[in-house]
Amino acid sequence: SNNFTFLAPSNDAISALIQSKGNATLHEDLLLASVQYGMLKGGYPTLSFTNNSQFASTNLASPKYANVTGGQTVELITDEIGNPEVVSGNKVSASVGDELICTGGIVHVIDKFLSIPIQAVLQVSAAKMQYFVSILNTAGYLNAANSEYVDGILNVPDVTYFIPNSANALEKATLQAANSTAEETKAVFQYHVVPGFVGYGSTLKDGMKLKTQEGSSLTITMQDGDMYVNSAKVIASDYIVANGVIHVID
């Protein structure tokens, strides 16, 4: 292979993984997926890492673990004092240590195993988006009758999700659910989903319009260093998930 960057867990990272598993078996397919997730397409020397996020495509493309065109991604960035880091699923951050040159590419030694991104619904739980869980419950989306509909939205490929997670959002959703039909409630849910486009924070630009699954568009606005989706402020961004990315709005 040529023009690659491999993120290689350090000996300490491997030992920590083995100890964390105890007597549990390390499944071969998961280990293979971890290796594929650490193999980036393209050369990324440490000097190319900046405080502006880059999202590099990897060789992880197995439908069991990824549902994004071109392979799952990792975030490359520097911390507040300029040290290079790699951010993977569930915002797990690994520091980049030694940089090695090899035939065809670059190897970075990292201090943790990368975390393979999980499904959006699991990420909501892992990130403790409790207000959004309450919104789903209030709107009836946790009912078994709606599970197929919700699963369909959460598992389509190449998606950008704008997930409301605040007390104010819950209050508005509760009022809206009490005065809306089932179809109107579904339309609101679909209005927060942008299919066919994985829009990481660094790719969303001022004035950009995004067509939602509901059919109408959202507008991205930058103001005083903050990002807004229509009038909703983005309060957390770039949760990489199996089929795209989640941004949290207020």
Side-chain angles (χ1 to χ4, degrees):
S1 181
N2 287 310
N3 195 28
F4 67 85
T5 301
F6 183 57
L7 305 173
S10 66
N11 289 339
D12 287 344
I14 294 171
S15 296
L17 176 67
I18 293 172
Q19 290 176 6
S20 70
K21 294 297 181 181
N23 294 324
T25 302
L26 293 173
H27 294 288
E28 184 176 337
D29 66 329
L30 182 57
L31 287 174
L32 176 59
S34 295
V35 171
Q36 292 171 334
Y37 191 40
M39 181 67 78
L40 313 188
K41 299 175 181 178
Y44 294 93
T46 52
L47 288 180
S48 71
F49 289 49
T50 71
N51 59 0
N52 293 316
S53 295
Q54 301 176 75
F55 290 86
S57 294
T58 75
N59 278 7
L60 180 59
S62 166
K64 184 175 181 179
Y65 297 104
N67 198 10
V68 288
T69 301
Q72 188 53 273
T73 63
V74 293
E75 180 182 3
L76 309 179
I77 195 168
T78 55
D79 64 16
E80 61 276 2
I81 59 174
N83 295 320
E85 291 186 333
V86 180
V87 183
S88 55
N90 201 29
K91 293 286 188 180
V92 171
S93 179
S95 297
V96 177
D98 292 338
E99 179 178 50
L100 310 174
I101 299 173
C102 62
T103 301
I106 300 167
V107 177
H108 293 304
V109 179
I110 55 176
D111 68 348
K112 293 177 187 170
F113 262 80
L114 300 177
S115 176
I116 294 176
I118 54 182
Q119 292 181 344
V121 67
L122 298 177
Q123 183 62 72
V124 165
S125 297
K128 296 181 170 55
M129 300 180 193
Q130 296 168 329
Y131 288 110
F132 182 60
V133 173
S134 292
I135 289 171
L136 290 177
N137 183 62
T138 297
Y141 289 126
L142 301 185
N143 296 340
N146 288 323
S147 62
E148 184 175 347
Y149 167 75
V150 174
D151 288 345
I153 289 179
L154 294 177
N155 292 310
V156 294
D158 299 327
V159 180
T160 302
Y161 298 102
F162 294 103
I163 290 185
N165 188 55
S166 70
N168 181 55
L170 174 57
E171 182 180 350
K172 288 184 176 180
T174 301
L175 180 62
Q176 194 167 46
N179 295 282
S180 301
T181 66
E183 288 304 311
E184 288 170 337
T185 302
K186 283 184 178 181
V188 172
F189 190 38
Q190 292 172 326
Y191 189 55
H192 292 74
V193 179
V194 178
F197 173 68
V198 183
Y200 303 107
S202 57
T203 64
L204 298 176
K205 306 299 181 183
D206 189 41
M208 182 179 286
K209 293 188 179 297
L210 306 174
K211 187 174 182 180
T212 69
Q213 191 170 48
E214 179 264 345
S216 52
S217 295
L218 302 170
T219 301
I220 303 298
T221 304
M222 303 296 182
Q223 183 177 342
D224 298 327
D226 293 318
M227 181 187 299
Y228 292 83
V229 186
N230 291 353
S231 61
K233 183 178 180 180
V234 176
I235 54 177
S237 62
D238 295 324
Y239 282 92
I240 303 172
V241 292
N243 63 332
V245 65
I246 288 174
H247 303 294
V248 183
I249 56 177
D250 67 354

